[in-house]
């Protein structure tokens, strides 16, 4: 969790940007952004994508030091970096290939909760690719629910509001999530962001 928090603040300060300016450019409230920088809140992928765009950096730069980036990055299963705590009631994320150089997509391992009811639908610029590795998951859109099993995948425009949940009574599903970096795309409002 700490690297995310420190990178947002560090990148903002490197750009001589005030908290107010970053909040305005990202569409995130100043109070929420302050909580992110102080470690009191962990940004969702949608919020992180918005912050990365406002800071004009690839999404993964929020999670890795610029000095650590590489052209070829191997991430062993045991080396994935947890971006949320293990007791997180909501979706848990693990970063993959965080040290990869300039890239247009950012991969994550996702462990969605069984109950997605309280979580708001999220949307952001770019595209997403969801691949279920283990278990069963349901990708929810405002007017459609897609049930996915091992080996199933969905590719969609991330501007479509969405959320995901695990199905069944057992462990959470294990899902590979690829988020495109759409820094050059048009601004997209984020009505569901804090």
């Amino acid at each position: 969790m700490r690297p995310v928090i420190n990178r947002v603040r560090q990148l903002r300060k490197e750009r001589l940007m005030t908290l107010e300016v970053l909040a305005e450019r990202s569409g995130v409230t100043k109070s929420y952004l302050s909580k992110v920088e102080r470690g009191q809140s962990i940004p969702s992928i949608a919020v992180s994508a918005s912050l990365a765009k406002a800071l004009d950096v690839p999404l993964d730069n929020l999670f890795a030091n610029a000095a650590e980036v590489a052209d070829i990055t191997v991430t062993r299963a045991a080396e994935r970096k947890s971006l949320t705590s293990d007791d997180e009631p909501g979706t848990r994320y693990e970063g993959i290939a965080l040290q990869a150089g300039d890239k247009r997509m950012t991969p994550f391992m996702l462990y969605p909760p069984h109950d997605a009811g309280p979580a708001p639908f999220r949307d952001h610029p770019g595209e997403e690719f969801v691949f279920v590795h283990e278990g069963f998951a349901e990708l929810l859109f405002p007017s459609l629910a897609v049930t996915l099993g091992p080996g199933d995948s969905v590719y969609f425009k991330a501007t479509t509001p969405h959320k995901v949940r695990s199905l069944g009574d057992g462990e959470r599903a294990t899902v590979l999530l690829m988020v495109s970096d759409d820094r050059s795309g048009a601004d997209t409002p984020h009505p569901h962001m804090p």
Side-chain angles (χ1 to χ4, degrees), residues 61-105:
N61 276 20
L62 295 182
F63 309 108
N65 289 322
E68 297 174 348
V69 298
D71 289 335
I72 298 172
T73 303
V74 175
T75 305
R76 304 285 180 202
E79 298 171 344
R80 292 193 299 247
K81 187 175 202 170
S82 181
L83 303 176
T84 53
S85 66
D86 288 341
D87 60 345
E88 172 69 33
T91 301
R92 293 192 311 250
Y93 296 93
E94 292 176 347
I96 303 172
L98 295 177
Q99 285 73 35
D102 190 28
K103 60 187 177 200
R104 297 192 180 257
M105 67 177 99

Side-chain angles (χ1 to χ4, degrees), residues 162-180:
H162 57 280
K163 60 183 175 179
V164 64
R165 71 182 186 110
S166 293
L167 295 177
D169 297 329
E171 295 288 320
R172 293 178 182 216
T174 301
V175 177
L176 172 65
L177 170 67
M178 304 289 287
V179 179
S180 72

Side-chain angles (χ1 to χ4, degrees), residues 36-162:
V36 168
E37 287 193 353
R38 287 181 287 145
Q40 296 176 337
S41 187
I42 298 172
S44 66
I45 296 299
V47 171
S48 296
S50 184
L51 289 171
K53 184 173 182 177
L55 292 164
D56 193 32
V57 298
L59 179 59
D60 60 326
N61 276 20
L62 295 182
F63 309 108
N65 289 322
E68 297 174 348
V69 298
D71 289 335
I72 298 172
T73 303
V74 175
T75 305
R76 304 285 180 202
E79 298 171 344
R80 292 193 299 247
K81 187 175 202 170
S82 181
L83 303 176
T84 53
S85 66
D86 288 341
D87 60 345
E88 172 69 33
T91 301
R92 293 192 311 250
Y93 296 93
E94 292 176 347
I96 303 172
L98 295 177
Q99 285 73 35
D102 190 28
K103 60 187 177 200
R104 297 192 180 257
M105 67 177 99
T106 304
F108 297 94
M109 287 308 292
L110 178 72
Y111 305 91
H114 285 90
D115 181 16
F121 284 97
R122 300 289 185 188
D123 62 283
H124 54 89
E127 299 173 338
E128 286 194 20
F129 175 75
V130 173
F131 177 88
V132 176
H133 179 65
E134 293 178 349
F136 290 86
E138 186 173 48
L139 186 56
L140 302 163
F141 300 98
S143 61
L144 177 67
V146 180
T147 300
L148 304 165
D152 293 343
S153 64
V154 179
Y155 188 99
F156 62 97
K157 298 283 186 191
T159 52
T160 305
H162 57 280

